[in-house]
Amino acid sequence: MADAWTLGTAGSFRPIDALIVDCAVDAISQVGVETCYHCGEALPASPVLLDVDGNIKGFCCEGCLAAAQWIRSSDLGDYYRLRSTAGARVDVELPDLAVWDRDDVLADHAFPVTGGLEITLLTDGMRCAACAWLIDRALQRVDGVLDVGANAVTGRIRIAWDPAGVALSSVLERLALLGYRPYLASGAMQEREKLAERRRWLLRLGIAGLGAMQTMMLSEALYLDFNHHMALYTRDFFRWVTFLVCTPVVFYSGWPFLLGAWREWRERHPGMDTLVAGSTLLAYLASAVETVRGGAHVWYDAAAMFVFLLLCARMLEQRARRIASSQVDALARARPALAVRERPDGTRESVPLTVLQIGDVACMAAGEAVPADGVLLDEQAMFEEALLTGESHPVAKAQGAQVFAGTVCRETPARIEITRVGSATRLSQLTRLVEQAQAHRPPLARVADRVGTWFVVALLIASVAVFIGWRIHEPSRAFEVTLSLLVISCPCALSLAVPAALAASHGALARLGVLSLRAEGLDSLARTTDVVFDKTGTLTRIDPSIGEIQTFGGVSADEAMAIAAALERDSGHPIAAAFASVLTLRTASGLKVHAGQGLSGMVGGMEWRLGRGPFAANQDDDGRLWFGDGSSAVARFSLEERVRADAGVAVDALRGLGLRIHLASGDAPGAVERLTRQLDIDDAHARQSSEDKLALVRKLQAEGRVVAMVGDGLNDAPVLAGADVSLAMGEGASLAQRAADMVLTAPSLLRIPAAVQLARRTQRIIRQNFAWAVGYNLLALPLAVMGQVTPSLAALGMALSSLMVTANALRLMRVSIPEATS
Amino acid sequence: MIILLMLIPLSLMLLAVAIGSFVWAVRKGQFDDMDTPAIDILSDDRPLEAKADFTLNGRDHG
């Protein structure tokens, strides 16, 4: 297969053999490809072409080409067959990886293992299992690498390597050449702790499963002995064996419940764990007592099955939540872990963020995030403050202006003098604001908890009363009846009712493309009566589109568009996306980006300028995009937001579900009004600050409405935290996602009505489950109190009702995914 | 019923073996990643090197 690739050894990445075609237009139409073979992005004016197995494939840049060549020449070409999504674009310029070899970085993040060191790092662009496979294989071939584990779900790569044999930076260079940029994961300790915790839970579950199976088998033999034909010593032998098998299940696997019960007891707040641990321990201890004194019945199976079923439910729920939160973690990696500091003599060094001090000078390359708050030292620079303000266009800043941590430096490199670090930065303050808002969440979720507590207390009191009653009435049966009561009321079905349904619906939600970060979010979503939408980035797309075009002089609108598109195409300018859909046959040369002004270049033998009024066309700056030759205007474009293709359908669907739709935007009234007309929204609010939006939500809540907030920007974060339930857009600011209950990972608003429907179905199923469990308990409890139910019958009934509840919950797994129309 | 005296300890021993191998598998990280190894088996055709051998052995039981 590799024959078709005319290239040298695996080690050379230079695309020397690549066919570089200047007249791209012909080539594209001839080949019939419009996207890069490697990353799937739209091809630029002059794509790099290469013969792949007899087919000409186009690549967007030399980086992608080099990656593809290396993959093919290393016999890893299966990647292209296995992958389900396109790869990430490979930058020609590699990031500076030398920092990864620094001792202080390794000391903080790497752990010694046999033969070398091990580090866990985050990466972006790992989009499907094939990526993980490729990374595994590619890194394993680097000499000195001991072991590699890439996980596409969590976006993490674990690398064990021998520092004496190979530097970490050269391992990571291979990674970067394939288009995956490495980032430091938050604290190696935490990562390892998380992994160890998962393994412990898995061990608990496995041992509970195996133990419960054996316990059930042995108990069955005892239960089936209806007429007591079994010899006493055989019976006792069985009982002791069961005791042996059941003990680790109760005390090792059930340890989290025992611990939870102990904590609840200390806090004087009995809850589910008290009931679980109480029932398990009682069934187990009573059986042990019966075994010793040779009583009539043992209930080991009840104890073991109970622990196993509950562990199952908890694992499922945890797994869904872990996947959700690790993806949000991966999105939060925008914050740099390292900063470039300028020494007094003008040389530069990379340092960890924690080392930065007030007064230091930090340097950022274009596209890098600002490490700390500071004052701009350069004459002018552009910063994208989307994370802080939700404003997606880069803001031009002049010398001496405040620059904030977490914003991204655009177009030109910049230097800042640091004024605030760590928790004093604006970013940290906003994070705290979110946390405070979270503390004030509506306490509706706690009601269920309180009911559970009452149930437990009532049950415990009741069993004591029953015991005393029977003690007076018929002392010999008191113990047995109380035990029957506890086994039958053993809230197996009751405590499974909620977790089983939640676990099933979390799984279904994840398949819908909605990550649920907090368990109570689903509950609130089902009761939602009002939905408040943010505008920019939520109902509309962040990247603008060209609205109105005005021409002056001899050039037609189409031609102006074509020239402007040629200028923008290869510029990497933020508004380039607006021109991406314009097909142009022209090519630009001598492109120059003028920070905060616009760009210039030669098209068709003339110099053109595109950007702000004064720069491009010698006109006043009116916020529109001017096109000209620097002295006279040729055209003027107005940039408009594009409404998401599925916004109308989603809003209609939500209204169809009986929800009231509100719009709260920070934008001017004109733009808001246009959108409300388009989407038919009655209640719209313009020029809303974070505080205004929060006030709107509070006002609705005061009217007794249950409010769902959908937003994306950091400015929405306090509102997201204050609403009853909140959904953040997957493309939005990571802090907003932290504040939200749910994150939409699929770029489709249709998932919101689908999630609401699912939440309502979950609610219905939880109610059915509760009704069944409570009904069963209400029916059986009086019988048990009267002494009419034997403990074995009680255990059978309990197991059946648990099965019913679980099977009912599993119906939630069936979910149809709405087709995205965009 | 004297056969039970042999059969039950036998089943207990099997249980111990099952638990032991499960513990071993978890400790070795067999369950750490449930998604990536699924596509590993779709590709072979490559001469196995010593190092690649190690990975394959590590994954196949997952």
Side-chain angles (χ1 to χ4, degrees), chain A residues 78 82 129-130 132-133 136-137 140-142 145 147 150-153 195 198-199 202-203 206-207 210 214 234 237-238 241 245, chain B residues 4-5 8-9 11-12 15 18-19 22-23 26-29 31-36 39-40 42-43 46 51 54-56 59:
Chain A
D78 279 343
L82 295 174
W133 175 84
D136 258 16
R137 292 300 150 95
Q140 222 124 46
R141 292 178 187 201
V142 180
V145 172
D147 191 19
N151 189 329
V153 177
L195 187 67
R198 264 190 65 200
R199 287 186 179 174
L202 209 58
L203 275 180
I207 286 174
L210 289 166
Q214 289 293 314
T234 317
F237 174 65
F238 264 95
V241 172
V245 176
Chain B
L4 280 178
L5 286 179
I8 285 182
S11 78
L12 285 186
L15 178 67
I19 287 181
F22 179 71
V23 169
V26 171
R27 293 250 158 91
K28 285 277 169 191
F31 297 97
D32 286 354
D33 181 4
M34 312 290 277
D35 307 276
T36 321
I39 64 163
D40 261 16
L42 294 179
S43 148
R46 194 166 50 89
K51 214 192 285 173
F54 167 72
T55 359
L56 285 179
R59 285 276 156 79

Side-chain angles (χ1 to χ4, degrees), chain A residues 26-362:
Chain A
D26 291 356
I28 293 175
S29 52
Q30 167 204 329
V31 179
V33 284
E34 275 135 22
T35 54
C36 174
Y37 180 57
H38 183 74
C39 70
E41 278 185 30
L43 286 179
S46 15
V48 197
L49 298 183
L50 182 71
D51 191 353
V52 181
D53 300 338
N55 298 322
I56 306 273
K57 301 283 186 194
F59 292 88
C60 65
C61 57
E62 308 267 314
C64 281
L65 176 80
Q69 274 184 331
W70 187 85
I71 291 170
R72 299 296 301 230
S73 64
S74 316
D75 262 353
L76 293 172
D78 279 343
Y79 162 70
Y80 291 108
R81 210 161 43 79
L82 295 174
R83 69 181 182 180
S84 49
T85 45
R89 184 185 176 130
V90 184
D91 288 331
V92 181
E93 269 178 50
L94 290 180
D96 177 25
L97 296 167
V99 290
W100 291 90
D101 292 333
R102 291 166 55 98
D103 288 336
D104 50 356
V105 173
L106 290 183
D108 280 354
H109 292 88
F111 270 86
V113 290
T114 11
L117 290 171
E118 187 180 295
I119 194 167
T120 301
L121 45 95
L122 280 170
T123 186
D124 53 7
M126 191 152 52
R127 292 168 190 172
C128 65
C131 288
W133 175 84
L134 178 67
I135 290 173
D136 258 16
R137 292 300 150 95
L139 296 192
Q140 222 124 46
R141 292 178 187 201
V142 180
D143 283 329
V145 172
L146 307 171
D147 191 19
V148 178
N151 189 329
V153 177
T154 57
R156 280 163 170 74
I157 309 174
R158 187 177 45 80
I159 302 173
W161 80 107
D162 176 13
V166 66
L168 182 59
S169 60
S170 53
V171 181
L172 298 184
E173 191 183 317
R174 158 64 42 233
L175 193 68
L177 280 169
L178 291 173
Y180 307 101
R181 276 182 84 135
Y183 298 89
L184 277 177
S186 60
M189 277 303 272
Q190 272 167 296
E191 292 285 320
R192 284 176 79 91
E193 192 46 51
K194 259 190 240 168
L195 187 67
E197 179 74 19
R198 264 190 65 200
R199 287 186 179 174
R200 264 202 300 278
W201 273 91
L202 209 58
L203 275 180
R204 290 209 165 98
L205 183 70
I207 286 174
L210 289 166
M213 240 157 33
Q214 289 293 314
T215 313
M216 206 58 174
M217 192 188 78
L218 293 162
S219 310
E220 213 52 45
L222 292 171
Y223 281 140
L224 291 176
D225 178 30
F226 295 117
N227 301 321
H228 303 285
H229 291 313
M230 200 185 270
L232 272 186
Y233 65 85
T234 317
R235 191 194 71 181
D236 285 344
F237 174 65
F238 264 95
R239 285 185 177 183
W240 281 109
V241 172
T242 323
F243 170 78
L244 195 73
V245 176
C246 186
T247 307
V249 176
V250 171
F251 289 101
Y252 178 72
S253 300
W255 189 244
F257 303 118
L258 300 182
L259 212 65
W262 171 240
R263 204 172 36 238
E264 283 172 4
W265 175 252
R266 253 192 345 211
E267 285 167 10
R268 301 278 180 278
H269 180 86
M272 232 29 153
D273 276 345
T274 307
L275 263 192
V276 173
S279 317
T280 318
L281 273 183
L282 261 167
Y284 174 80
L285 291 177
S287 306
V289 169
E290 293 283 278
T291 307
V292 171
R293 58 166 221 186
H297 289 284
V298 290
W299 306 273
Y300 291 118
D301 57 319
M305 288 304 280
F306 195 22
V307 169
F308 173 61
L309 286 173
L310 281 171
L311 271 180
C312 274
R314 241 178 233 204
M315 276 292 279
L316 280 172
E317 200 189 330
Q318 267 185 359
R319 185 180 143 81
R321 198 143 344 125
R322 193 183 58 245
I323 291 174
S325 62
S326 66
Q327 287 188 358
V328 173
D329 254 14
L331 293 163
R333 65 189 147 227
R335 237 186 109 211
L338 294 158
V340 178
R341 184 164 66 180
E342 194 175 275
R343 294 203 195 90
D345 60 2
T347 56
R348 293 176 178 191
E349 56 175 349
S350 276
V351 291
L353 269 195
T354 44
V355 178
L356 279 186
Q357 278 171 356
I358 293 170
D360 282 352
V361 174

Side-chain angles (χ1 to χ4, degrees), chain A residues 633-646:
Chain A
V634 172
R636 188 173 69 167
F637 305 103
S638 66
L639 295 174
E640 277 180 0
E641 287 178 316
R642 274 187 297 161
V643 178
R644 279 180 196 263
D646 47 13

Side-chain angles (χ1 to χ4, degrees), chain A residues 21-25 28 42-47 566 569-570 584-588:
Chain A
V21 178
D22 281 329
C23 187
V25 184
I28 293 175
L43 286 179
S46 15
R569 186 166 44 200
D570 297 323
T584 174
L585 303 183
R586 295 167 190 273
T587 47

